[in-house]
């Protein structure tokens, strides 16, 4: 085999290995993604699996794709919480569902709950659940990246979210009904 042919063959082999490596790993930071399993939660603990949420970086922010079922129909508060736990804990003298997740993710110390553009970094767009109890939607959190939320919890609340602290604190979402750990 001639020296030129050997060099060309070697170069092609190296390029081939590089291409295979690129095909199996993200080629840019915009392709990083993670899938989280979501469970029903109550004061008694973490319950059955109700679906998954995929998080993916994009130029527009964090893309959130939900595949959830067995939720009450209607709008629900949807947030990233500051701790990576879905366990019950005590608050104000009583045990509550997923209280160990702490409050909304708020590393910038925003003074008030608000929209995904104005409030805590963990304030996500409203999660709408259809009449059959399914939430199969795609949402965008423009100020977040996957790296910001790894190790935290994603939470679905019982009620809607008006993106205000009035008339009830934190948008009025109320009890925590579903939770997933973002690892």
């Amino acid at each position: 085999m001639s020296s030129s042919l050997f060099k060309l063959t070697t170069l092609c082999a190296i390029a081939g290995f590089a291409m295979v490596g690129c095909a199996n790993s993200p080629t840019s930071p915009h392709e990083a993604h993670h899938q989280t399993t979501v469970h029903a939660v109550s004061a008694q603990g973490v319950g059955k699996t109700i679906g998954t949420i995929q998080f993916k970086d994009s130029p527009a922010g964090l893309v959130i794709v939900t595949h959830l079922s067995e939720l009450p129909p209607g709008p629900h508060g949807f947030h990233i919480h500051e701790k990576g736990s879905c366990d019950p804990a005590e608050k104000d003298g009583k045990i509550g569902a997923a209280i160990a997740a702490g409050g909304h993710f708020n590393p910038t110390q925003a003074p008030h709950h608000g929209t995904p553009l104005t409030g805590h970094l963990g304030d996500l767009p409203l999660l709408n659940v259809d009449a059959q109890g399914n939430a199969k939607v795609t949402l965008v959190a423009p100020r977040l990246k996957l790296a910001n939320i790894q190790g935290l919890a994603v939470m679905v609340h019982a009620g809607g979210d008006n993106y205000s602290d009035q008339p009830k604190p934190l948008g009025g979402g109320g009890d925590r009904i579903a939770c997933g750990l973002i690892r």
Side-chain angles (χ1 to χ4, degrees):
M1 179 175 346
S2 76
S3 161
S4 301
L5 183 58
F6 178 75
K7 288 179 186 174
L8 181 59
T9 304
T10 303
L11 183 58
C12 287
I14 291 170
F17 285 121
M19 297 288 259
V20 168
C22 289
N24 291 327
S25 62
T27 56
S28 76
H30 301 301
E31 294 182 24
H33 68 277
H34 174 78
Q35 184 164 300
T36 296
T37 301
V38 178
H39 298 270
V41 292
S42 70
Q44 289 71 46
V46 177
K48 69 179 178 175
T49 299
I50 62 164
T52 61
I53 298 175
Q54 183 181 47
F55 299 95
K56 182 177 179 180
D57 285 335
S58 82
L62 187 66
V63 176
I64 303 163
V65 181
T66 67
H67 296 281
L68 303 173
S69 60
E70 301 183 47
L71 290 167
H76 293 271
F78 191 45
H79 308 100
I80 302 296
H81 281 246
E82 64 188 345
K83 297 177 184 169
S85 177
C86 292
D87 292 332
E90 185 177 330
K91 182 177 179 182
D92 300 327
K94 62 181 184 177
I95 300 295
I99 297 298
H104 295 175
F105 177 55
N106 188 19
T108 62
Q109 302 303 309
H112 300 288
H113 172 67
T115 72
L117 293 174
T118 65
H120 306 142
L121 281 179
D123 294 338
L124 300 177
L126 200 62
L127 181 67
N128 286 301
V129 178
D130 69 21
Q132 291 73 43
N134 299 310
K136 296 184 186 328
V137 298
T138 300
L139 308 166
V140 177
R143 299 183 299 157
L144 287 176
K145 299 266 182 246
L146 182 57
N148 301 134
I149 64 169
Q150 288 181 316
L152 306 181
V154 60
M155 195 74 61
V156 178
H157 291 267
D161 188 337
N162 68 4
Y163 299 113
S164 173
D165 286 322
Q166 299 296 324
K168 293 183 179 181
L170 301 174
D175 292 340
R176 300 164 186 204
I177 62 170
C179 180
L181 301 181
I182 308 163
R183 299 192 191 256

